[in-house]
Amino acid sequence: MLGPGLVREAASLLQRGQLAFDEARAVRSRRGKRRARVFSLDVHQSVIADLAVAMPEAGLDVLRWSISSHNHINRKVQIAPDPVSVVNAYTWKSIDENMIDAFQDRYSRFLQSFDGFVVCYPFAFAELFRGLDRPLLAVSATRYEVPYTLDPKQWNRLNAYLVDIDSKGELTLAANNVADRDYVEYFTGLKPSLAPSVCDYLQVSWSATTDRRVVFSRVPELERALVDEPQSTWQSAHAAFGGRYTWSQLATTAEVFVIPYNISTMTLFELATAGVPVTVPSKKLFAEWIESGIDVLSELSFYQVVSHPIIQTTSAGMTSTTGGWHVLTSTTRI
Amino acid sequence: MPNVRTVDSLDEAIQEPHPAAGFSAAEWLGRTDDRNRIVRLGRATLLRNFAERL
């Protein structure tokens, strides 16, 4: 019987083989002799997975390499992050011009074989395709500047690059929620279109076969307050499902209370398309919690994620801080 | 999002049922169809615009 170490090694070998096969096949194929073929390298597997559902209908073939640590959500095998050279799950947060050059050196012929590119998270990967003069589709689902939040020089270079390729007619720019549309516009001056994620890759619909009401929260005190009330019929996700749950289980749930950690999450899009009844806190309730020091919307900004001191901008517009949540929430409607 | 209700307190979430409680699953899903049609159209338009540049 194979031990877990051998299974992991075999899976890793399989994934390396898959990427080598992808490279060889892409280099062999000739542009203009087939359907338009685009390449995606992404850290977030759901946003591109959603776009990929509708790409064939738009006449597009897509090759997706995912360096997400959540590949198990959309894959049955090869669930580890794809072992991409240079830019991978272990290195991407250190991306800079040297890494971009090294990636282009490593994958030059491969990248040349594509008609266009797609980036979702992070937008910094747009520059992996610079100099190739191919159209780029960029779809923001969360603050687009990661991992440059604390590096104004690189963030400004990324902004300048996006503006430059937009001026050449090479950029198709979108956001999947109003807040990130406005956030991108605030920092770049570019105007993304709004294209909410559909998330029909799940292929589930609400069936309401149980009277279970489940709360999803990363704030234990709020979860306890909701669940422990004597009259309450709410359960924690852990109490309802145990460990990991499936979407089939979730679709049977009568109602889900989502206390979001970010202004827009893919879970909310998934629940919407599946038709699952959802309850969320109102803006008034969020304000009360924040004023009470309760840590809701704890990943609204990457300043919060990395525990960086908050710096308010003087503008009445966006900030990259917790202070921005009023603006972000006031514009969020889908 | 037509499947979403907002609450001003946890007590409201505990005491008040979601509007979906008044519908069968089929009726409720019918109420969310328009939203799904619109967002699918938005995604298709985005991809078509991109494909036209290739």
Side-chain angles (χ1 to χ4, degrees):
Chain A
M1 188 173 165
L2 295 176
L6 270 176
V7 170
R8 268 197 304 275
E9 185 54 37
S12 171
L13 196 63
L14 186 67
Q15 270 181 285
R16 287 199 296 272
Q18 178 68 54
L19 265 54
F21 173 77
D22 290 343
E23 270 193 83
R25 192 176 60 164
V27 169
R28 272 203 317 273
S29 70
R30 294 175 59 191
R31 293 179 64 214
K33 297 287 184 187
R34 45 160 173 73
R35 277 158 64 101
R37 188 166 164 79
V38 298
F39 175 65
S40 154
L41 175 65
D42 221 280
V43 180
H44 194 309
Q45 46 80 37
S46 296
V47 188
I48 180 64
D50 178 53
L51 296 171
V53 168
M55 282 190 176
E57 204 174 309
L60 300 172
D61 283 338
V62 60
L63 175 64
R64 290 187 281 154
W65 284 0
S66 171
I67 57 174
S68 166
S69 56
H70 294 93
N71 280 340
H72 62 272
I73 293 172
N74 282 336
R75 294 180 179 180
K76 288 190 170 59
V77 292
Q78 302 185 15
I79 59 174
D82 285 330
V84 180
S85 296
V86 186
V87 180
N88 53 54
Y90 306 102
T91 63
W92 74 270
K93 286 182 182 171
S94 303
I95 188 170
D96 59 11
E97 291 205 87
N98 290 334
M99 191 183 289
I100 291 166
D101 289 343
F103 182 84
Q104 291 204 326
D105 285 346
R106 167 64 182 82
Y107 288 110
S108 173
R109 288 184 66 208
F110 171 69
L111 296 175
Q112 287 284 353
S113 72
F114 291 94
D115 300 291
F117 302 98
V118 185
V119 296
C120 299
Y121 179 83
F123 270 27
F125 286 3
E127 287 192 283
L128 295 174
F129 315 120
R130 67 187 183 187
L132 294 165
D133 298 326
R134 307 278 157 73
L136 175 79
L137 171 62
V139 180
S140 178
T142 191
R143 313 310 88 79
Y144 76 99
E145 83 282 0
V146 69
Y148 299 149
T149 306
L150 305 180
D151 190 338
K153 187 179 166 196
Q154 295 219 84
W155 188 347
N156 284 331
R157 192 194 66 242
L158 171 64
N159 288 344
Y161 178 71
L162 294 171
V163 169
D164 179 52
I165 61 173
D166 181 67
S167 72
K168 293 175 183 167
E170 292 175 0
L171 179 63
T172 304
L173 183 62
N176 78 347
N177 66 88
V178 172
D180 279 290
R181 179 196 65 184
D182 294 352
Y183 189 84
V184 171
E185 181 179 354
Y186 179 78
F187 285 106
T188 66
L190 302 172
K191 294 183 184 300
S193 60
L194 180 64
S197 296
V198 184
C199 301
D200 46 0
Y201 48 76
L202 286 172
Q203 296 288 309
V204 293
S205 294
W206 185 54
S207 61
T209 50
T210 72
D211 56 5
R212 181 186 288 145
R213 300 169 96 197
V214 179
V215 58
F216 286 93
S217 171
R218 294 187 181 181
V219 186
E221 64 202 281
L222 292 178
E223 185 176 283
R224 277 196 302 273
L226 193 65
V227 168
D228 291 349
E229 178 67 31
Q231 291 174 298
S232 178
T233 54
W234 290 99
Q235 294 177 277
S236 69
H238 189 264
F241 304 122
R244 276 185 188 169
Y245 59 88
T246 65
W247 259 96
S248 301
Q249 287 176 299
L250 200 55
T252 66
T253 301
E255 184 178 356
V256 176
F257 194 149
V258 180
I259 300 178
Y261 56 88
N262 198 345
I263 201 61
S264 174
T265 67
M266 291 303 282
T267 301
L268 284 170
F269 291 113
E270 291 165 349
L271 290 165
T273 297
V276 177
V278 168
T279 295
V280 296
S282 66
K283 291 175 195 170
K284 176 172 167 281
L285 185 52
F286 266 128
E288 285 174 15
W289 284 341
I290 289 171
E291 281 160 21
S292 308
I294 296 173
D295 194 22
V296 289
L297 295 177
S298 58
E299 295 186 17
L300 184 60
S301 154
F302 288 111
Y303 273 58
Q304 295 164 281
V305 175
V306 299
S307 301
H308 190 273
I310 292 168
I311 302 167
Q312 292 283 356
T313 67
T314 54
S315 164
M318 296 295 177
T319 74
S320 189
T321 71
T322 48
W325 85 270
H326 291 285
V327 179
L328 291 165
T329 53
S330 71
T331 58
T332 298
R333 59 185 185 283
I334 293 162
Chain B
M1 289 178 174
N3 64 321
V4 172
R5 71 157 169 163
T6 60
V7 292
D8 287 334
S9 68
L10 293 183
D11 192 51
E12 182 183 342
I14 291 167
Q15 301 294 339
E16 300 293 330
H18 193 284
F23 298 91
S24 69
E27 287 170 336
W28 178 252
L29 291 175
R31 294 169 70 91
T32 64
D33 276 352
D34 280 350
R35 178 263 175 195
N36 290 352
R37 242 190 321 274
I38 290 166
V39 293
R40 280 195 178 93
L41 184 62
R43 180 179 63 183
T45 303
L46 174 68
L47 291 172
R48 197 168 55 244
N49 290 343
F50 174 52
E52 284 171 1
R53 292 176 189 255
L54 298 175

